Amino acid sequence: MSAIRLSCAVNNYHWGKHGLASKAAQFAATNPGVTVDEEQTYAELWMGTHPNGPSMVYGTDTQLDDVISENASVALGASVSQRYNGNLPFLFKVLSIEKALSIQAHPDKQLAQQLHAMRPNDYKDGNHKPEMSIALTDFIALSGFRPLDEIAAFLDVYPEFSALVSGAAPEFRRAVAEGTDSERRSALKALFAELMMARDEDVRKQVEALVARVNEPSCNGTELDVSEAALVRRLNSDYPGDVGIFCVFMLNVLRLRAGDAFYMGPNDPHAYIYGDCIECMATSDNVVRAGLTPKQRDVQVLVDMLTYDYGAPSHKLMQPEHKSSVHAVYNPPIDEFSVVRSSVNAGERADLEAIDGPRILLVAEGSGTLCVGTDEMPLGPGFVYFVCPSTVCSFAADTALVAYTAQCE
């Protein structure tokens, strides 16, 4: 066992892109028996062992988790197997987003264990879920709280926003002007809490007034416009009258190009707005939501769990380490995973050095051959392989090839 091709689960959440406009659908179409329906949404492709969407050995009914369980020390490496109790420690995904995802955060391990113990039907495991996203296309997201002076300025510019936080706004303004860091975080929490817990009828009234303001002809922009006016219109179209629309004034807006990445640690608020991305995370499905969603909202838990870090959007971005002209490594500050982006020119060959841990490899663009010893396996968009420890792989590119490899050492 060195490299195994996988077929991977795709889901159809309402926020996904339709048909072959979705990268998740394009990649899923390589699976046996999958026909893409242009009227259907395709939101996520899951690559890994999570029971909500387990990967299978290609062309069989055997789950990847069963392969690993047969000999975890071989499939994962002795060190990784011991640290993570014989389980693959990461979940790898492709997301294709047409409608915004919820305002959300993921709990740290301590809170995850508490939530799982108290409400196992809502929080189905006790693990944390730090995650990293790498854009495949132009991509828009909200992540982390803005610099506080920006939020204070929006309180002055948008009376609809200030009307929903009139109780907390005076102390917030004072803390921004002259408070300590602790006072600023406390004031930010109070402001966010008042906003997210505002009465539905008050929110709808202020959203209506806000949308009327930004629907003026002079405010019209393009699909990738990340101005406040454009985002308000987009989010109101996706979730009319929702309190999450006002998070545009509190959270950083990220506009990413293909290859740009950002990291979301535990207790860090974020929301994906539009585009396609690679996502890697610790193996968990714990999500605490508070806006822009038809799903259950857990507003008090979200308000209480956040760290209330704040700052410029640049501090959310991750810069890859370029190991060579071919390989760039995105290495977040956690143990469970890193991701390698490999770009191989047409007609060239490049090695992916062996590591002492498992890998899942996804081809995003191009075609060629994966060479493992004397074995040669086809590569094309959406082809996924599980690669065992101590395995040297070579990409032989027929056309310009881009692959992403999630790994744990």
Side-chain angles (χ1 to χ4, degrees):
M1 179 171 62
S2 55
I4 303 169
R5 187 173 173 188
L6 303 177
S7 57
C8 300
V10 65
N11 61 44
N12 308 106
Y13 299 147
H14 75 281
W15 46 261
K17 290 186 177 182
H18 285 80
L20 289 172
S22 163
K23 290 286 188 184
Q26 294 173 29
F27 297 162
T30 66
N31 291 337
V34 173
T35 301
V36 175
D37 179 355
E38 288 298 322
E39 300 301 315
Q40 178 64 273
T41 55
Y42 295 86
E44 295 184 341
L45 183 76
W46 287 31
M47 298 165 281
T49 58
H50 196 285
N52 288 356
S55 296
M56 316 293 287
V57 176
Y58 187 84
T60 77
D61 294 326
T62 302
Q63 293 188 12
L64 173 61
D65 192 44
D66 293 333
V67 174
I68 292 172
S69 297
E70 286 180 3
N71 196 334
S73 62
V74 171
L76 302 178
S79 176
V80 172
S81 178
Q82 183 177 17
R83 291 197 330 257
Y84 299 105
N85 299 313
N87 297 310
L88 184 69
F90 60 82
L91 176 61
F92 205 23
K93 293 183 182 181
V94 175
L95 276 68
S96 296
I97 300 147
E98 182 66 37
K99 295 178 64 174
L101 276 70
S102 58
I103 304 294
Q104 62 182 253
H106 307 297
D108 59 27
K109 283 188 178 180
Q110 181 179 358
L111 179 58
Q113 290 166 0
Q114 292 172 357
L115 292 172
H116 178 57
M118 292 186 299
R119 295 161 56 188
N121 290 333
D122 298 324
Y123 300 99
K124 298 184 183 299
D125 60 75
N127 200 16
H128 67 165
K129 192 187 177 188
E131 56 191 19
M132 177 177 66
S133 292
I134 306 171
L136 290 172
T137 63
D138 288 323
F139 194 81
I140 302 171
L142 305 178
S143 185
F145 286 103
R146 289 176 177 267
L148 301 189
D149 57 349
E150 290 186 9
I151 299 173
F154 285 135
L155 289 171
D156 295 332
V157 172
Y158 294 100
E160 301 85 2
F161 176 33
S162 61
L164 292 175
V165 292
S166 58
E171 170 58 19
F172 177 78
R173 287 189 171 97
R174 187 208 65 79
V176 172
E178 60 186 30
T180 65
D181 178 67
S182 177
E183 289 173 331
R184 289 172 176 173
R185 289 173 187 264
S186 178
L188 177 60
K189 179 179 180 179
L191 193 80
F192 186 67
E194 186 173 3
L195 173 65
M196 301 310 290
M197 296 178 184
R199 296 189 308 169
D200 290 345
E201 55 266 38
D202 293 337
V203 171
R204 287 192 293 269
K205 176 183 175 182
Q206 297 304 332
V207 168
E208 184 178 352
L210 177 63
V211 170
R213 177 197 301 273
V214 302
N215 266 342
E216 297 172 1
S218 61
C219 294
N220 291 331
T222 66
E223 185 177 58
L224 294 171
D225 187 349
V226 292
S227 67
E228 291 77 37
L231 290 172
V232 165
R233 288 196 304 273
R234 178 195 286 274
L235 296 180
N236 188 63
S237 175
D238 291 347
Y239 302 96
D242 194 285
V243 69
I245 295 164
F246 287 95
C247 287
V248 167
F249 304 129
M250 296 201 70
L251 302 182
N252 284 306
V253 179
L254 305 183
R255 166 79 185 273
L256 308 181
R257 305 290 187 185
D260 292 342
F262 68 108
Y263 171 69
M264 294 144 284
N267 308 322
D268 188 6
H270 58 277
Y272 297 156
I273 305 300
Y274 178 80
D276 300 84
C277 71
I278 294 285
E279 187 180 60
C280 197
M281 67 203 69
T283 302
S284 173
D285 202 27
N286 284 325
V287 183
V288 182
R289 302 176 180 89
L292 304 180
T293 181
K295 295 183 178 180
Q296 174 179 298
R297 303 182 184 212
D298 221 340
V299 178
Q300 188 65 61
V301 172
L302 186 79
V303 166
D304 289 342
M305 70 188 276
L306 300 182
T307 62
Y308 294 95
D309 291 337
Y310 54 88
S314 57
H315 85 283
K316 306 301 299 181
L317 302 180
M318 289 194 62
Q319 299 302 322
E321 178 185 355
H322 291 274
K323 295 291 189 180
S324 67
S325 60
V326 173
H327 304 301
V329 181
Y330 302 84
N331 196 16
I334 55 170
D335 295 331
E336 282 89 344
F337 64 85
S338 60
V339 176
V340 181
R341 184 179 191 268
S342 303
S343 302
V344 187
N345 294 328
E348 296 184 358
R349 182 173 176 138
D351 290 340
L352 190 60
E353 295 181 358
I355 64 168
D356 294 326
R359 287 170 154 159
I360 292 181
L361 180 158
L362 165 72
V363 179
E365 302 174 25
S367 62
T369 303
L370 181 67
C371 304
V372 181
T374 59
D375 295 332
E376 295 186 349
M377 291 161 276
L379 295 175
F383 284 42
V384 180
Y385 288 89
F386 177 80
V387 181
C388 292
S390 304
T391 300
V392 177
C393 298
S394 295
F395 299 107
D398 296 333
T399 62
L401 187 144
V402 177
Y404 292 88
T405 304
Q407 60 186 29
C408 179
E409 297 185 74

